[in-house]
Amino acid sequence: MYSFKNIKGEQKQYAIWRGKFSESGFNEDLKNLEQFYKNEGFKDFSILNKDIIFADDGIKILLEIDEGEKYYYKSFSFTGNNKFSNDELLDILDLKIGEVYNETKFNLSVYEKISSIYMDEGYYKFRIIPFFILKDDSLMV
């Protein structure tokens, strides 16, 4: 379950249980909600509709979401890699076949770990272009 952390905004010292609705805090919470789902395997997660209803007794927030399918890694392949073998890159990538897709971990593995070994070897002008192939709720990267 995901809990919204940033909606209340600034609170007054004498009424700590009350706060004003913070649009920026709410938007930050929506981004955090999206990242939560994408880190749990739901690569296609989206918020379809959001309604905020202000009433005398509080605020109602209604979200219509589409989780999409839950994805797992099925295979990894590399092209254009002459400096390192596929096995070396797979070891550095640190993602396993059958593992649930996690956007944060994927980006860290690809853009930090893989990039750093090429940069350590003096390759400063290279590109990494991840390409996902969806097959049976699995990702082939």
Side-chain angles (χ1 to χ4, degrees), residues 75-78 85-97 114:
S75 67
F76 302 97
S77 64
F78 303 92
S85 70
N86 284 353
D87 289 337
E88 289 173 308
L89 292 175
L90 282 172
D91 284 343
I92 294 164
L93 189 62
D94 196 30
L95 298 172
K96 308 294 180 225
I97 302 221
I114 300 286

Side-chain angles (χ1 to χ4, degrees), residues 10 32-33 37 57 59 64 83 87 91 113 115 139:
E10 228 176 283
N32 291 339
L33 178 66
Y37 269 92
D57 61 343
I59 300 173
E64 181 182 354
K83 182 67 179 168
D87 289 337
D91 284 343
K113 293 179 180 180
S115 292
L139 296 173

Side-chain angles (χ1 to χ4, degrees), residues 98-111:
E99 185 178 334
V100 172
Y101 172 80
N102 179 315
E103 184 175 85
T104 300
K105 185 176 178 183
F106 178 82
N107 288 336
L108 175 71
S109 294
V110 171
Y111 296 111

